[in-house]
Amino acid sequence: MKSSTWEHLLSYHSTEIVQRKLEKCYEQLSYNNASGLSYENCYRFVYYLKHGENFFLQAAQSPPAIQPMLLFYGVSQLLKACLITIDPEYPSTSSVLAHGVSSRKRKKQQYHFLKDEIKIQRNGLFSHVATKLFQIQSLESEKCSMELLLKQIAEMNEVFLFHHSKINFIDVELTKDQILITEDTAQLFHLSSQRLAEYLVERFSYSLATEMDQHHVFLKGDTPMATFNCMPFSLHLEEGKYYLPTSRDTFSKMPELLVHYLLLYNLSMISRYETEWWYDLLLSVSNDDYPFILRYLEIAKRKIPYLVLDFLKHTL
């Protein structure tokens, strides 16, 4: 990227333009008094966005020991900015103010971050964002392992390859907002390109394009390709390519913004309450958790603002 995502997000720091865009959003969503709601929320939107940016900029200048806390609070603020583009009355009840997820209170001996799990709660910010922004309502009580979550982020592929000698993603070609499914890609799943494409259409928001031949099938999204919600694909931000997990078991059930929220929640809880384990990891670099976590934090600092910007471009 020639300029930082934060520079692009500066365009949304004008309450005048944000008020007009929010009003248009609320009208399309059939809210009464769209004009009044947009005026009430334009300042909140800008403040959430700016507060999130400050957390991220501070994280970039801080030691890794406290970065998870700053990034978690940062992504929470950015998601709230996204929320009020869809839900002008947020927060309408106190039940949406909690984090909406929980982690193990005490870490067991021989604890490894990649094997840890996090549980999704019925109420709270996480579930509210999942429902309002992504129309996902079936995540309650699900447990997600950190390893599985990390495997849904394309930039982590190199780390898994180095440490586990396993490729978790294969790149796919994107042409005019259409994804090319080749026979080589499909063979990883022991399917034909046509059957793999049909499998993705059945489970995700894609349809078969009319353009295809014996060895190639094209998928098109219900809307133009949106990076913030392109599951099970993931954009590798550094390479500018889209990747598909090499196993159906690791196909994501949630957009990547939610994956980052879960990872950063757990890391922030560890950095706050598991101080001994956390500093053992950071100072002794004694196991594989160290490179996975440090690499992830670097990705999160760049990827989350990019995904938020993409959401706002498609929404406002």
Short mmCIF file of all heavy atoms in Angstrom, two decimals, residues 37 56-57 106 117 138 143 167 208 230 263 270:
data_model
loop_
_atom_site.label_atom_id
_atom_site.label_comp_id
_atom_site.label_asym_id
_atom_site.label_seq_id
_atom_site.Cartn_x
_atom_site.Cartn_y
_atom_site.Cartn_z
N LEU A 37 -31.51 10.59 13.23
CA LEU A 37 -30.60 9.54 13.70
C LEU A 37 -29.19 9.75 13.15
O LEU A 37 -28.20 9.55 13.86
CB LEU A 37 -31.13 8.17 13.28
CG LEU A 37 -32.35 7.64 14.01
CD1 LEU A 37 -32.90 6.41 13.32
CD2 LEU A 37 -32.01 7.34 15.47
N PHE A 56 -4.60 1.72 17.97
CA PHE A 56 -3.71 1.04 17.02
C PHE A 56 -2.38 1.76 16.87
O PHE A 56 -1.32 1.12 16.82
CB PHE A 56 -4.40 0.90 15.65
CG PHE A 56 -5.21 -0.35 15.52
CD1 PHE A 56 -6.46 -0.45 16.10
CD2 PHE A 56 -4.72 -1.44 14.81
CE1 PHE A 56 -7.21 -1.61 16.00
CE2 PHE A 56 -5.46 -2.61 14.69
CZ PHE A 56 -6.71 -2.69 15.29
N LEU A 57 -2.42 3.07 16.78
CA LEU A 57 -1.17 3.83 16.64
C LEU A 57 -0.31 3.68 17.89
O LEU A 57 0.92 3.61 17.82
CB LEU A 57 -1.48 5.30 16.36
CG LEU A 57 -2.18 5.59 15.03
CD1 LEU A 57 -2.44 7.08 14.87
CD2 LEU A 57 -1.37 5.06 13.85
N ARG A 106 -8.03 -20.05 34.22
CA ARG A 106 -6.70 -20.45 34.67
C ARG A 106 -6.07 -21.33 33.61
O ARG A 106 -6.69 -22.28 33.12
CB ARG A 106 -6.80 -21.24 35.99
CG ARG A 106 -7.38 -20.45 37.13
CD ARG A 106 -6.36 -19.55 37.76
NE ARG A 106 -5.19 -20.27 38.23
CZ ARG A 106 -4.63 -20.07 39.42
NH1 ARG A 106 -5.16 -19.20 40.24
NH2 ARG A 106 -3.56 -20.73 39.76
N GLU A 117 -8.73 -22.52 23.74
CA GLU A 117 -10.04 -22.31 23.13
C GLU A 117 -10.73 -21.09 23.73
O GLU A 117 -10.43 -20.69 24.85
CB GLU A 117 -10.95 -23.53 23.34
CG GLU A 117 -10.52 -24.77 22.58
CD GLU A 117 -11.48 -25.93 22.79
OE1 GLU A 117 -12.13 -25.99 23.87
OE2 GLU A 117 -11.60 -26.76 21.87
N SER A 138 -25.81 -18.17 14.53
CA SER A 138 -25.72 -19.55 15.03
C SER A 138 -24.37 -19.86 15.67
O SER A 138 -23.91 -20.98 15.65
CB SER A 138 -25.96 -20.52 13.87
OG SER A 138 -25.03 -20.29 12.83
N LYS A 143 -17.09 -23.23 20.52
CA LYS A 143 -15.72 -23.08 21.00
C LYS A 143 -14.79 -23.04 19.79
O LYS A 143 -14.93 -23.83 18.87
CB LYS A 143 -15.34 -24.24 21.92
CG LYS A 143 -16.08 -24.22 23.25
CD LYS A 143 -15.61 -25.35 24.16
CE LYS A 143 -16.31 -25.29 25.51
NZ LYS A 143 -15.87 -26.38 26.41
N ILE A 167 1.05 -26.60 4.30
CA ILE A 167 0.45 -25.46 3.62
C ILE A 167 -1.04 -25.44 3.94
O ILE A 167 -1.74 -26.42 3.72
CB ILE A 167 0.67 -25.55 2.09
CG1 ILE A 167 2.17 -25.48 1.76
CG2 ILE A 167 -0.08 -24.43 1.38
CD1 ILE A 167 2.48 -25.69 0.30
N LEU A 208 -22.68 -19.46 -9.32
CA LEU A 208 -21.87 -19.88 -10.46
C LEU A 208 -21.99 -18.85 -11.57
O LEU A 208 -23.09 -18.45 -11.94
CB LEU A 208 -22.33 -21.25 -10.97
CG LEU A 208 -22.03 -22.45 -10.07
CD1 LEU A 208 -22.68 -23.71 -10.64
CD2 LEU A 208 -20.53 -22.67 -9.93
N CYS A 230 -15.45 -12.25 2.75
CA CYS A 230 -15.24 -13.08 1.56
C CYS A 230 -15.00 -14.54 1.94
O CYS A 230 -14.36 -15.27 1.19
CB CYS A 230 -14.09 -12.55 0.72
SG CYS A 230 -12.49 -12.51 1.56
N LEU A 263 -9.24 -13.66 18.56
CA LEU A 263 -7.81 -13.84 18.84
C LEU A 263 -7.30 -12.75 19.79
O LEU A 263 -6.58 -13.04 20.75
CB LEU A 263 -7.01 -13.81 17.54
CG LEU A 263 -7.10 -15.07 16.66
CD1 LEU A 263 -6.60 -14.77 15.25
CD2 LEU A 263 -6.28 -16.21 17.28
N ILE A 270 -4.73 -12.95 28.30
CA ILE A 270 -3.46 -13.57 28.71
C ILE A 270 -2.47 -12.51 29.17
O ILE A 270 -1.82 -12.65 30.21
CB ILE A 270 -2.88 -14.41 27.55
CG1 ILE A 270 -3.75 -15.64 27.29
CG2 ILE A 270 -1.43 -14.84 27.86
CD1 ILE A 270 -3.41 -16.36 26.00
#
